Amino acid sequence: MLNPPPAARAFLVPAAVVVTVLAWASAFVGIRAVGEDISPGALALGRLLVGTVVLAVLALGRGWVAPTRREWALLAGCGVGWFAVYNVALNAAERHLDAGTTSLLANVGPILIAVFAGLWLGEGFPRWLVVGIAVAFAGVLLIGLSTSSGGADVIGVVFCLVAAVGYAIGVVAQKVVLRRLPALQVVLTACAIGAICCLPWAGVLAGDVADAPLSSVLGMVYLGAVPTAIAFSTWAYALARTDAGRLGVTTYLVPPLVIGLAWVLLDEVPPVLAVVGGVVCLAGVAVSRRRDRAPAVAPQEAAVPG
């Protein structure tokens, strides 16, 4: 239904938002569960291969806008940063951190996006952005302190921050190409590039899938089909039909949902200090967006997927 009537649209837009938020929240829990049987690089490759196939099916019949040479370079940056580096580092982080702490740390991504946009796209550093950076950094320090009793957990914090940096670099590159190229085409192309980058883990993936229980293999397929492919599509659908600032706020629901799902499904709860640090991080992100009514980054870039 390309052009649903207003009554149907009033239902479809909130439904698309709910699907997106739940799917991205479930991804953090899914990675934590599947990561015991499938290594970080192999899981990223499997997830991206599935996501590429599903996105290709969703893109059938939509046509193709030929990218320029510069747009191909930016698409490559998006695929490498947002899909390859982000997914591998996030998978590695969740081998050391619980799902809730990981989701809280990942939400510093929007601030990093604003920083890179200020450096590379000339968007500047408004006062509220600088304040938000300071507040979010304090939150990261609190999360680091909560894991200081174990060196492995600190490694997880580092991996999570690497994931946030890769994501931020990728979506700043995405911002430029979205000015001309269709959103679904951009996501499909970047996802395919990310999968190509992860091909060195193809042999590991084959071995892990052969040894892993069926539940973990199906979990990997779920991560590629739902949080990667379907959730990006429902997000784009809602984004085209509602206020961007209002929609961006819905991503703040992801960490609480992750903590709740992880508690029920994995019987794990983040350390109290990590939760406090995560709330401080989210407060820093909120403060950084006070500069203007118009967000400094494209709304697609404000969300932090799982």
Side-chain angles (χ1 to χ4, degrees):
M1 189 185 299
L2 296 178
N3 295 297
R9 191 180 309 156
F11 167 78
L12 290 174
V13 170
V17 173
V18 170
V19 168
T20 302
V21 171
L22 287 176
W24 283 346
S26 71
F28 288 95
V29 178
I31 292 169
R32 180 73 169 162
V34 174
E36 297 181 359
D37 302 304
I38 304 177
S39 60
L43 178 56
L45 174 59
R47 177 179 178 176
L48 293 174
L49 288 174
V50 173
T52 299
V53 171
V54 177
L55 285 165
V57 172
L58 293 174
L60 286 175
R62 292 178 179 267
W64 173 267
V65 178
T68 64
R69 183 176 300 179
R70 179 170 181 265
E71 287 169 339
W72 272 117
L74 290 167
L75 286 168
C78 181
V80 173
W82 188 5
F83 287 86
V85 172
Y86 176 81
N87 276 288
V88 174
L90 192 69
N91 296 343
E94 292 212 45
R95 286 201 158 193
H96 305 280
L97 297 174
D98 62 86
T101 301
T102 305
S103 68
L104 289 165
L105 271 172
N107 270 275
V108 303
I111 284 186
L112 295 176
I113 292 168
V115 170
F116 292 145
L119 289 172
W120 298 334
L121 303 181
E123 295 183 356
F125 294 90
R127 176 169 59 96
W128 286 114
L129 173 59
V130 176
V131 174
I133 291 171
V135 173
F137 181 70
V140 172
L141 289 179
L142 286 175
I143 294 175
L145 287 174
S146 75
T147 63
S148 60
S149 59
D153 291 338
V154 175
I155 292 172
V157 172
V158 172
F159 273 127
C160 200
L161 294 177
V162 169
V165 171
Y167 162 74
I169 291 173
V171 294
V172 169
Q174 180 205 44
K175 177 178 183 178
V176 179
V177 296
L178 282 173
R179 294 170 183 166
R180 195 180 74 89
L181 302 181
L184 184 57
Q185 177 182 322
V186 169
V187 175
L188 167 59
T189 306
C191 188
I193 292 171
I196 292 171
C197 291
C198 293
L199 283 177
W201 284 286
V204 179
L205 175 62
D208 286 352
V209 167
D211 296 334
L214 179 61
S215 59
S216 292
V217 177
L218 293 177
M220 181 185 69
V221 173
Y222 169 84
L223 288 170
V226 180
T228 302
I230 293 177
F232 274 112
S233 301
T234 52
W235 175 262
Y237 177 87
L239 192 58
R241 294 163 177 82
T242 191
D243 177 75
R246 225 174 265 169
L247 188 60
V249 171
T250 63
T251 62
Y252 290 115
L253 296 173
V254 171
L257 284 171
V258 172
I259 293 172
L261 289 171
W263 185 17
V264 172
L265 299 176
L266 303 178
D267 194 26
E268 65 177 28
V269 180
V272 174
L273 191 56
V275 174
V276 173
V279 171
V280 173
C281 285
L282 293 179
V285 175
V287 168
S288 73
R289 293 180 177 178
R290 288 192 60 185
R291 71 193 84 171
D292 286 308
R293 286 189 177 275
V297 294
Q300 294 95 326
E301 301 155 10
V304 180

